[in-house]
Amino acid sequence: MSTTDRQPPLRVLIGCDTFSPDVNGAARFAERLAAGLVQRGHDVHVVAPSKRMNRTGSFSETIEGERMTVHRWTSWRWYPHDWLRFVLPWRARSYARKLLDAVRPDVIHIQSHIVVGRALAKEGAKRGIRIVATNHVMPENVLDFTLLPERAKRVFVRWGWNDADRVLTRAAAVTTPTRRAADFLERNTHRRGVLPVSCGLRASDYTADLEPRTANRLVFVGRVTLEKEIDVILRAIPRIDPELDVSLTVVGDGDQRKSLEKLAQDLGIADRVHFTGRVSDQQLRAHLTEASVFVIASIAELQSIATMEAMASGLPIVAANAMALPHLVQEGENGHLFQAGNDRELAEHVEAVLGLAPEQYRRMQQASLEAVKVHDIDRTLDTFESLYRGDA
């Protein structure tokens, strides 16, 4: 039973620096959170950058199958990045003042401290509105999209964490997707009592094929960017026993696609690697269902919704032993962990999974299906409802 069965609905304002049509973990979480809250009867408003420049307004949009009000603020393209847009900070404060006076939310839930979240937190605090903050941002990751020299990058990282600290101090509760990410946030800021709350997903939306595989297909899902270290996966392919006839599907798009396609050519595996580009949710789920193993080499995951989606699709996981991925992979049970950047070890683990007897492979599939249950979206929604009301 949700809290809305016992208490009146809330007017929730969710502030995002990235949201649909962007494709990334923070955006996906915000979309599912907003849709889940609408399903529970709450009045949900989302603030996000406009889809194109010079378009500010409030629009009725369908997100994850639910209609909600999305307030789009005029944004500008960040050209070192393939899709990122940002709102000018001095305009964001003005937009926030007007919006908060009009909407009068019971609670503001910010998804980052960068621009939109910062403006809403500052103006919301002035009005005494309860603020909940979820951190999806590591300043280190932002560096992939800057042109700064190394010394300047180190200064930027320290400034970035101090900046996050100043914004997050306005929140009554601060969350992040995993305990490891919470510990990381506490080490780099003065925030304490950071709560790990899974981004969540609805496992029933995914289909697991427990029948023996007729082809050895590896799959990766995510943005095709530097931090994902997809090159490590590509370099592992030639190391895998040729008799296994392994192919790789990279589901997603990003600024590194052309360089990775060239790397595949140089490695002589271009005929075995397929880059899908951006796909629909239905196509994404089909790629997961049809695969044999999910591989991820990323070193900067605060949770990895894509890995949870693969688990909900009944896939064994071979993942880098970095950041939050060890929270999802139980060594030898639902997959294996490899040393970050070690393509030889990655290849060995893929061979081990593909070499399992059918009944052993199925046990690994079942272990993924079982492990993902704790990330059910309804648990996540229950937790945030409690935080919004000040009950947790």
Side-chain angles (χ1 to χ4, degrees), residues 328-366:
L328 299 173
V329 180
Q330 302 303 310
E331 180 61 38
E333 295 184 15
N334 72 319
H336 297 285
L337 296 167
F338 63 91
Q339 181 183 11
N342 191 329
D343 53 273
R344 183 182 297 275
E345 190 177 3
L346 191 165
E348 291 172 353
H349 286 320
V350 168
E351 284 187 355
V353 174
L354 295 179
L356 291 173
E359 64 275 11
Q360 294 173 316
Y361 178 81
R362 180 172 292 191
R363 277 199 295 271
M364 198 166 270
Q365 289 183 290
Q366 294 284 7

Side-chain angles (χ1 to χ4, degrees), residues 36-50:
L37 292 171
V38 170
Q39 289 172 355
R40 291 184 172 208
H42 298 292
D43 181 12
V44 177
H45 294 251
V46 177
V47 182
S50 61

Side-chain angles (χ1 to χ4, degrees), residues 148-375:
L148 298 174
E150 286 304 315
R151 173 180 279 184
K153 286 182 178 181
R154 290 192 293 271
V155 173
F156 174 88
V157 167
R158 188 65 260 162
W159 172 84
W161 282 117
N162 289 337
D163 186 55
D165 204 11
R166 288 190 291 270
V167 176
L168 297 178
T169 193
R170 302 174 188 275
V174 178
T175 78
T176 197
T178 64
R179 180 69 262 168
R180 183 170 292 196
D183 292 342
F184 192 76
L185 181 59
E186 291 182 352
R187 283 198 304 271
N188 286 281
T189 68
H190 293 96
R191 298 308 97 218
R192 297 296 178 266
V194 177
L195 301 172
V197 182
S198 176
C199 291
L201 84 168
R202 198 168 302 284
S204 59
D205 289 342
Y206 301 85
T207 302
D209 181 1
L210 300 181
E211 294 301 315
R213 298 300 194 260
T214 57
N216 291 322
R217 300 174 181 171
L218 309 185
V219 65
F220 164 82
V221 174
R223 289 178 295 117
V224 184
T225 57
L226 281 174
E227 71 193 58
K228 301 299 184 181
E229 300 216 350
I230 301 169
D231 63 298
V232 176
I233 303 173
L234 294 181
R235 295 181 195 280
I237 301 296
R239 297 185 181 278
I240 298 172
D241 186 348
E243 291 190 4
L244 291 173
D245 193 23
V246 167
S247 64
L248 169 67
T249 300
V250 177
V251 181
D253 213 349
D255 60 285
Q256 293 298 301
R257 178 171 173 176
K258 287 185 178 179
S259 63
L260 290 170
E261 288 176 334
K262 182 178 185 304
L263 176 59
Q265 290 261 2
D266 294 343
L267 292 170
I269 58 172
D271 60 330
R272 293 193 282 153
V273 179
H274 174 49
F275 291 85
T276 68
R278 187 165 180 168
V279 299
S280 67
D281 285 348
Q282 183 178 7
Q283 291 170 319
L284 182 153
R285 292 166 184 165
H287 282 298
L288 289 172
T289 299
E290 295 165 3
S292 308
V293 182
F294 181 82
V295 289
I296 180 167
S298 175
I299 58 172
E301 298 295 328
L302 291 181
Q303 181 159 44
S304 183
I305 291 176
T307 302
M308 294 194 299
E309 291 176 324
M311 292 165 65
S313 304
L315 292 184
I317 311 297
V318 175
N321 189 4
M323 283 304 292
L325 294 175
H327 287 275
L328 299 173
V329 180
Q330 302 303 310
E331 180 61 38
E333 295 184 15
N334 72 319
H336 297 285
L337 296 167
F338 63 91
Q339 181 183 11
N342 191 329
D343 53 273
R344 183 182 297 275
E345 190 177 3
L346 191 165
E348 291 172 353
H349 286 320
V350 168
E351 284 187 355
V353 174
L354 295 179
L356 291 173
E359 64 275 11
Q360 294 173 316
Y361 178 81
R362 180 172 292 191
R363 277 199 295 271
M364 198 166 270
Q365 289 183 290
Q366 294 284 7
S368 274
L369 292 171
E370 186 64 29
V372 82
K373 289 180 180 179
V374 300
H375 299 285

